Amino acid sequence: MSQARSHYLDALEIRQKSVKLNAGTNLPSLEITIPPLMEALGNVETRLQIWKDAEMHLNEALKRYRKQGVPSGVAMSLRGLGTLSYELGHDEQALQLFDEALQSLAPRDRQSDLAWDIHARQALAVARQGDGVSALQTLERCLAHWKDRGHIRWQGETKMQIAQVKYWQNRREEAVAILSSALTHFEGVGDAENARVARELLAQTGK
């Protein structure tokens, strides 16, 4: 078992225990903690490719967030479901879910970090459908946002996404260069998991 998979399995176990603990109480104040735990659980399960459980927990989070009237939570759950669809190769469904996530945000949050993250994930689905030019334009705007915010890790995330699109366009040298930059960002902030992913992509892209 890889170190990364072990890490996610540990996280999965912790979140499962947290959900069971909170769901077993009758305290109304703890009800608000269940949706974010469900969402986090679904996201980890997506990483681990436990598809059915991921869908179940993300849908449960979505239902509870809607019941509680939390627009940002609704958007995060839809983002998770969109990512799940993307990972399964269902690009049209992913695009619909990402669009729904953006539409669910309150007007004041349409330029939030969450919104930019959704735009970036949406761009990958657009690129995989063949419109790499539009996808790169979106991702460059996302990168500019993270630079303005000074978020080093998210700059690395977006650079990995840009590299992926450029690789699909057979622009390998550019992809390798931007992946190397992303790796530097991850190492600089101690993000071991994303650094591992960047190294794996560099190995694949450099072939």
Side-chain angles (χ1 to χ4, degrees), residues 35 39 58 61-63 65 72-82:
E39 184 222 341
L58 287 166
L62 177 60
K63 181 179 74 175
Y65 273 130
S72 61
V74 170
M76 288 188 292
S77 300
L78 288 166
R79 174 188 62 180
L81 287 166

Side-chain angles (χ1 to χ4, degrees), residues 51-71:
W51 308 123
K52 289 184 178 180
D53 287 352
E55 183 178 17
M56 177 182 68
H57 287 123
L58 287 166
N59 274 315
E60 181 65 21
L62 177 60
K63 181 179 74 175
R64 289 173 179 265
Y65 273 130
R66 280 176 169 161
K67 182 178 179 180
Q68 293 175 9
V70 184

Side-chain angles (χ1 to χ4, degrees), residues 192-204:
E193 170 58 12
N194 269 322
R196 179 194 65 81
V197 173
R199 291 190 191 96
E200 287 185 356
L201 289 172
L202 275 169
Q204 295 171 15

Side-chain angles (χ1 to χ4, degrees), residues 71 118 148 175 182 184 195 199 203:
I118 296 169
D148 288 343
T184 299
R199 291 190 191 96

Side-chain angles (χ1 to χ4, degrees), residues 23-49:
T25 68
N26 294 318
L27 296 176
S29 60
L30 289 179
E31 176 66 22
I32 63 172
T33 68
I34 295 177
L37 285 170
M38 289 282 186
E39 184 222 341
L41 191 57
N43 290 335
V44 172
E45 288 163 340
T46 296
R47 285 266 192 168
L48 292 170
Q49 300 182 3

Side-chain angles (χ1 to χ4, degrees), residues 12 14 48 59-60 62 73 83 93 118 134 161 164 181 191:
L12 179 61
I14 291 169
L48 292 170
N59 274 315
E60 181 65 21
L62 177 60
T83 301
Q93 184 178 26
I118 296 169
S134 174
Q161 292 163 330
Q164 182 70 73
S181 179
D191 187 341

